[in-house]
Amino acid sequence: NFFYPNMKCIDKLQVGQKKKRIYEKELKTPFQRVIEQPDIPENLKQSLRRKKDSLDIIVLQESLNAALDNLDRLAHHTPGS
């Protein structure tokens, strides 16, 4: 995912009968995490950067909304009408 940051669980602690999750303080996208990894080859990072630069979040959101609208129409379509 290039655009939406998420919290990464870094530890789980047992507190009584419950488990407590510890998350990173800074939200990052999976793309940012890959780019920060030193063991990922630089040519792969460059390829991912080019891919991200070619994406337009607004166009992606509009196409997602159109697909969801189409799916909703199909789900509510009654046969024979």
Side-chain angles (χ1 to χ4, degrees):
N1 189 329
F2 290 98
F3 299 107
Y4 294 108
N6 55 35
M7 296 188 305
K8 183 176 181 182
C9 182
I10 55 175
D11 199 9
K12 293 180 186 175
L13 302 174
Q14 188 76 31
V15 179
Q17 293 197 5
K18 295 185 177 185
K19 289 189 179 185
K20 180 178 179 180
R21 292 182 176 96
I22 308 296
Y23 294 94
E24 286 182 329
K25 300 268 187 241
E26 184 180 353
L27 291 177
K28 295 180 185 177
T29 65
F31 168 76
Q32 289 172 310
R33 288 192 181 98
V34 167
I35 295 300
E36 291 174 357
Q37 291 298 312
D39 57 328
I40 303 291
E42 192 58 37
N43 62 343
L44 178 58
K45 290 180 185 182
Q46 287 298 334
S47 174
L48 289 171
R49 286 185 186 105
R50 284 192 299 275
K51 177 68 174 176
K52 182 179 189 286
D53 291 343
S54 74
L55 298 173
D56 182 344
I57 192 168
I58 294 170
V59 171
L60 290 170
Q61 187 66 51
E62 288 170 351
S63 72
L64 176 62
N65 288 340
L68 289 171
D69 289 343
N70 190 37
L71 183 61
D72 188 53
R73 274 193 304 278
L74 289 172
H76 293 97
H77 174 74
T78 54
S81 61

